[in-house]
Amino acid sequence: MRIFIDCTHTAKHTYKNTGIHRVVRELSSEMLKLSSTSPDIEIAAVMFDGKSIVRVTNLNQQNYSQTTKRNQYLYPIIKINRKIQVLLSKLKNKIINLFSNTLYLVDSLNLNEHKNIYLELDAYKIQPGDIYIIADANWDLPKTYYRFLQILKKHQVTIVIICYDLIPIKFPEFSSKRFTEAFTNFYREYSTLFDQVLCISKNSVEDYKYAQKQGIVANDNPNLIVKSFRLGCDYSNHDYSLNAEFDNFNETFIELLNKRYILVVGSLVPHKNIQGIIAAFDLLVDSNNENIHLIFAGNRGWHSKTDALIESNKMYGKFIHILGSVSDAQLKALYKNCYCLVQASFYEGFGLPVVEALQYCKPVIASTGGSLPEVGGDFCIYFDPTQPTELHQALKKLLDSDIYYNHLVDQIKNEYRPFSWKESAEQFISHLCS
């Protein structure tokens, strides 16, 4: 069995480290390891270059965080360079889309010749029965990507997509109009090609099936398989030493690690309920819990109002901090040293920070949004995401009682069983085989 993992977005934007990018890196890495010890499975990580696929040899994140010494002064230049890269990528896709009809006509006239180009990778051809996995955030690729997948489909290649969530469809108010349209159009058009939809939670499976009933995604394939698999939470793929990494962190970052802080992991976007977190933290400070910090570890710039909400708070820069995108090493340090994690999202397809914090035996206060109760089980404190006072009360209860806090830590240590990325890859491949 040959499996092609499409990692286009992660391969193109190696500086990004969002939840999806981390899943793509960890899952691909473990699947490649498994294939090296299994003679029956051959796996290749690939990316789409606008016309066909090329092999990906490195998905490692480039550490361009401002929290490291070597990048502290170069970071503004790096940010500008990133924006230019994104704009050039969007411009390239627009140009390809603009001339896509002409390209399609040329392809039609030279169909056999171009089929060979589409169905070749390095020295061998993609064969009927091979599996092609859309593992990445590919909903912004040019129209030629759809035509590429059409050719694979006609050549009897099984097409599988990893569905992370359908938040832009289910809650369009949390995304920009342009992104909601692009995301919805992707699933509406591309879902006609899917043979399997592997979701990252049972809750996401139900969301996909509901979208089918609503006619938002294709519902005319009686053989379509929609299943869930579980994500891992460990960092077994990395050989870095945390002590060695400490020597590379800048002084401000190390100072924060030595504070007592509440950790929030994820991009600063509306569905993460940043407003509710800030409201709860304000109540915490007002109730004389001043010796606690709030750290946001995730990309800003997605939603200007959310950024402004944090930056305009009187505690910003003193007790409230935005680190921006962090590396896996930095994230590991943040988990290991945090007081607790807060996952306040209105909705999540999985909630990777929940299981990542639990593996370090840290108390987690999570909302009841989406899949979070499914993922956190009996090991989290839950609250209604529309009620910031509930979050405040949960935080205050932790801070006011060391006995209660230590009881939660002991319960996680004794009863919680982390799920590794190796196990996640094994489960994922078992779904493909069945």
Side-chain angles (χ1 to χ4, degrees), residues 149-210:
L149 294 177
Q150 273 186 314
I151 291 175
L152 294 186
K153 183 81 171 177
K154 289 176 182 177
H155 202 64
Q156 298 178 4
V157 173
T158 299
I159 296 179
V160 180
I161 187 169
I162 298 178
C163 178
Y164 293 93
D165 62 64
L166 295 180
I167 291 174
I169 294 174
K170 194 177 180 72
F171 301 101
E173 64 271 21
F174 291 146
S175 305
S176 68
K177 185 178 179 181
R178 179 179 295 178
F179 179 75
T180 299
E181 287 179 357
F183 185 91
T184 304
N185 288 337
F186 173 86
Y187 270 96
R188 181 177 286 120
E189 295 171 12
Y190 284 67
S191 59
T192 59
L193 304 174
F194 301 157
D195 296 296
Q196 287 192 47
V197 179
L198 296 182
C199 303
I200 59 175
S201 65
K202 294 176 182 177
N203 188 77
S204 290
V205 168
E206 295 307 312
D207 284 347
Y208 194 90
K209 289 181 177 179
Y210 183 74

Side-chain angles (χ1 to χ4, degrees), residues 310-334:
I310 301 172
E311 293 165 357
S312 63
N313 190 281
K314 62 183 179 181
M315 294 295 171
Y316 179 67
K318 300 174 183 177
F319 290 94
I320 299 177
H321 316 271
I322 303 176
L323 298 183
S325 179
V326 295
S327 70
D328 282 346
Q330 292 155 355
L331 188 56
K332 181 177 181 179
L334 288 166

Side-chain angles (χ1 to χ4, degrees), residues 262-365:
I262 300 162
L263 180 62
V264 180
V265 177
S267 299
L268 304 183
V269 290
H271 83 269
K272 298 292 186 182
N273 193 16
I274 306 301
Q275 184 173 358
I277 296 171
I278 293 294
F281 189 76
D282 284 343
L283 291 171
L284 205 61
V285 172
D286 292 341
S287 59
N288 297 320
N289 287 102
E290 295 182 354
N291 191 27
I292 187 78
H293 291 248
L294 177 62
I295 294 180
F296 292 96
N299 293 306
R300 70 169 100 194
W302 294 84
H303 191 254
S304 58
K305 289 184 179 179
T306 299
D307 294 347
L309 175 72
I310 301 172
E311 293 165 357
S312 63
N313 190 281
K314 62 183 179 181
M315 294 295 171
Y316 179 67
K318 300 174 183 177
F319 290 94
I320 299 177
H321 316 271
I322 303 176
L323 298 183
S325 179
V326 295
S327 70
D328 282 346
Q330 292 155 355
L331 188 56
K332 181 177 181 179
L334 288 166
Y335 280 130
K336 290 190 74 172
N337 291 277
C338 75
Y339 180 76
C340 69
L341 176 94
V342 168
Q343 179 84 51
S345 307
F346 289 110
Y347 207 84
E348 285 292 342
F350 185 81
L352 200 54
V354 170
V355 294
E356 289 178 337
L358 287 175
Q359 76 160 328
Y360 291 109
C361 302
K362 297 296 182 177
V364 174
I365 304 176

